[in-house]
Amino acid sequence: MIKFLDLQKITAIHGTEIKQVVNNVIDGGWYLQGESNRKFEENYSRYIGTKYCIGVANGLDALILILRAYIELGVMNEGDEVIVPANTYIASILAITENKLKPILIEPSLSNYQIDDTLIAQAITPRTKAMLIVHLYGQCSYTEKIGEICKKFNLKLIEDNAQAHGCLFTTVNNKQNAARRTGSLGDAAGHSFYPGKNLGALGDGGAVTTNDEELAKTIRSLANYGSSKKYYFQYTGRNSRLDEIQAAILDVKLKYLDEDTEKRRDVARFYMDYIKNPAVILPHITDWQSHVFHIFPVRCNKRDELAKFLADRNVQTMIHYPIPPHQQLCYKNTLIGNYPISEQIHREELSLPISPVLRIDELGCIVDNINEF
C-alpha cells in the first residue's frame, strides 16, 4: 500500500533528535510554558518573519483567539462581518462564528482554488471589519489586490496559515524580488501543527504570529485563562497552550522544514510532468516558491471512481474536502447562498499522496495507474 501520508517514516527521519529532546523535557520536569516553548516561539517567529509568536493548543484556537483579541481591543464587535473563502476547511468558519461574528463567503478561483480577489470589494459593507484568507493546500492566497482592499476599507487581514508553513509571497519592488513568508503578510496569522501538516507535531499544537505587540499580549493572556499575572484575570479566557514536548519536537522539525518542502516540490513536479490523463485536471502553478504542497489536489468529474480505481491498486488518496462549509448540517440555517464553484471543487477534488518520504518507484506506480484510468 502506498500511503497518502506515512507519518511513521516522516517521524523516523529525525527520530533520534526527536527522542532526545522529548527525553530532555521529561527529565527536566517542566512541562508547560517553559524553555522549549520560549525557544520554539523565538525560532518560529524569526522563520516566519514576525516579531511575536504565541504557542497555543491547536490551529482552530489560534484563529479563535485572534478574533477574540480584536473584540477585546474594541476593533470588532459581535455581529461584525469577516470575509472568508467559501471553499475552506470548516475551522476557518468556526473561528468566526465562535466569536459571534458573521462569515461572508467568497467564491474561489477555479484555476488555483484560492479566494477570488475580484469578488471581494463588492461584498464589503459598513459591518465588514476583517478578511480571513486561507492559504489552502499550501498555496499562497495573498495578492497585492487583497492588500490594497484591506488598506482602502481599513480591514484587518488575518491569515489561516494552517497548511502553508514556509510558503513565500514574492513581489517585484524597485526591480528587486522581495519575498515574505505567509504568516507575516497580514495583521495576524493562525498556524496549525496537527501531525499531518508540513510542520507537524506528534499531537495537537498551534501558534499565532503577528507584529502587533498589543495584540500579542492580549492573545497570550486570553490563552492563559485570561491572565497575564498569576491569579489575576483581566479577561474571561480559555486554556490553550502549546505543551513543552510538542514545542521541543516542532523546534527539531523546523530546522528541516525548507529541505522537506523541496522534496514535496520534487514530488509535485513529477506529477506535473508525467500525469497525462486528460480526465485529470492538474493544479495551476505559476510560482513554485508560492506553493509548499501540503496537498497535491487534482480534479476529475469521476472523482469517486478514480479514488476507487487507485485504492484497488493499493494507492491511498484523500478528499479535501467532500462537503463545503455552507452545506454542512451545523450551518444549514446560517450560511445561506449559492456557491457553485466551491461545490464543483468539493465534488471533483482528489488529493494524491505527497510527502518528503515518497520513493521514485512509488511515484511511478501512482502516475501509471492514473494514466491508465
Side-chain angles (χ1 to χ4, degrees), residues 223-236:
N224 187 40
Y225 298 98
S227 171
S228 55
K229 180 181 179 182
K230 195 168 186 178
Y231 300 133
Y232 291 80
F233 303 94
Q234 183 177 357
Y235 310 106
T236 54

Side-chain angles (χ1 to χ4, degrees), residues 144-206:
E144 290 180 335
K145 186 178 182 69
I146 286 174
E148 291 165 2
I149 290 171
C150 288
K151 184 176 181 180
K152 178 179 179 180
F153 293 96
N154 194 30
L155 305 181
K156 292 297 183 183
L157 178 59
I158 302 164
E159 299 172 75
D160 183 338
N161 200 51
Q163 300 185 9
H165 317 96
C167 184
L168 287 170
F169 172 72
T170 304
T171 59
V172 178
N173 184 17
N174 295 326
K175 298 184 180 180
Q176 294 200 354
N177 289 332
R180 292 177 291 159
R181 294 196 190 278
T182 56
S184 70
L185 304 174
D187 295 286
H191 307 253
S192 168
F193 305 124
Y194 179 79
K197 305 298 186 184
N198 292 25
L199 180 61
L202 300 189
D204 272 323

Side-chain angles (χ1 to χ4, degrees), residues 103-362:
I104 303 298
L105 306 187
I106 302 295
E107 284 271 64
S109 166
L110 195 57
S111 67
N112 65 5
Y113 316 135
Q114 307 301 314
I115 191 169
D116 188 339
D117 62 12
T118 67
L119 303 177
I120 294 171
Q122 65 197 48
I124 294 173
T125 76
R127 295 303 303 268
T128 308
K129 295 298 170 62
M131 189 186 312
L132 174 57
I133 60 173
V134 182
H135 305 300
L136 195 65
Y137 304 145
Q139 186 167 8
C140 182
S141 180
Y142 179 82
T143 65
E144 290 180 335
K145 186 178 182 69
I146 286 174
E148 291 165 2
I149 290 171
C150 288
K151 184 176 181 180
K152 178 179 179 180
F153 293 96
N154 194 30
L155 305 181
K156 292 297 183 183
L157 178 59
I158 302 164
E159 299 172 75
D160 183 338
N161 200 51
Q163 300 185 9
H165 317 96
C167 184
L168 287 170
F169 172 72
T170 304
T171 59
V172 178
N173 184 17
N174 295 326
K175 298 184 180 180
Q176 294 200 354
N177 289 332
R180 292 177 291 159
R181 294 196 190 278
T182 56
S184 70
L185 304 174
D187 295 286
H191 307 253
S192 168
F193 305 124
Y194 179 79
K197 305 298 186 184
N198 292 25
L199 180 61
L202 300 189
D204 272 323
V208 174
T209 55
T210 183
N211 286 316
D212 185 330
E213 183 179 9
E214 187 177 20
L215 183 71
K217 287 180 178 178
T218 306
I219 289 170
R220 193 176 292 281
S221 179
L222 286 167
N224 187 40
Y225 298 98
S227 171
S228 55
K229 180 181 179 182
K230 195 168 186 178
Y231 300 133
Y232 291 80
F233 303 94
Q234 183 177 357
Y235 310 106
T236 54
R238 61 198 299 157
N239 176 18
S240 181
R241 298 175 295 200
L242 181 65
D243 73 68
E244 285 288 282
I245 287 177
Q246 301 305 334
I249 291 167
L250 289 165
D251 204 48
V252 169
K253 297 180 77 174
L254 178 60
K255 295 185 295 184
Y256 304 101
L257 178 57
D258 288 345
E259 177 184 331
D260 289 343
T261 297
E262 284 307 315
K263 292 176 182 176
R264 286 177 173 269
R265 290 190 179 117
D266 288 341
V267 173
R269 289 186 182 97
F270 191 96
Y271 285 147
M272 296 294 289
D273 288 343
Y274 293 107
I275 293 176
K276 302 297 181 183
N277 189 328
V280 176
I281 300 172
L282 297 170
H284 181 68
I285 302 164
T286 56
D287 178 6
W288 284 85
Q289 295 303 306
S290 72
H291 209 317
V292 295
F293 296 99
H294 172 60
I295 300 296
F296 189 91
V298 299
R299 289 190 4 253
C300 179
N301 60 16
K302 295 182 179 179
R303 187 265 311 281
D304 294 341
E305 291 93 328
L306 174 58
K308 184 179 185 305
F309 182 87
L310 293 173
D312 289 344
R313 286 151 182 81
N314 293 315
V315 176
Q316 190 179 56
T317 59
M318 292 189 71
I319 298 169
H320 294 90
Y321 302 93
I323 304 172
H326 71 279
Q327 292 183 335
Q328 296 287 352
L329 185 62
C330 62
Y331 286 124
K332 68 175 183 178
N333 297 320
T334 52
L335 296 184
I336 310 300
N338 185 32
Y339 305 98
I341 296 175
S342 292
E343 291 171 18
Q344 180 181 351
I345 294 170
H346 287 262
R347 187 171 59 247
E348 297 178 349
E349 193 276 341
L350 187 68
S351 302
L352 302 184
I354 189 161
S355 78
V357 297
L358 278 169
R359 303 190 311 267
I360 191 70
D361 61 305
E362 292 176 319

Side-chain angles (χ1 to χ4, degrees), residues 38-39 48 74 96 205 272 282 319 372:
R38 185 203 62 76
K39 183 181 176 186
I48 293 297
I96 298 169
M272 296 294 289
L282 297 170
I319 298 169
E372 183 185 336

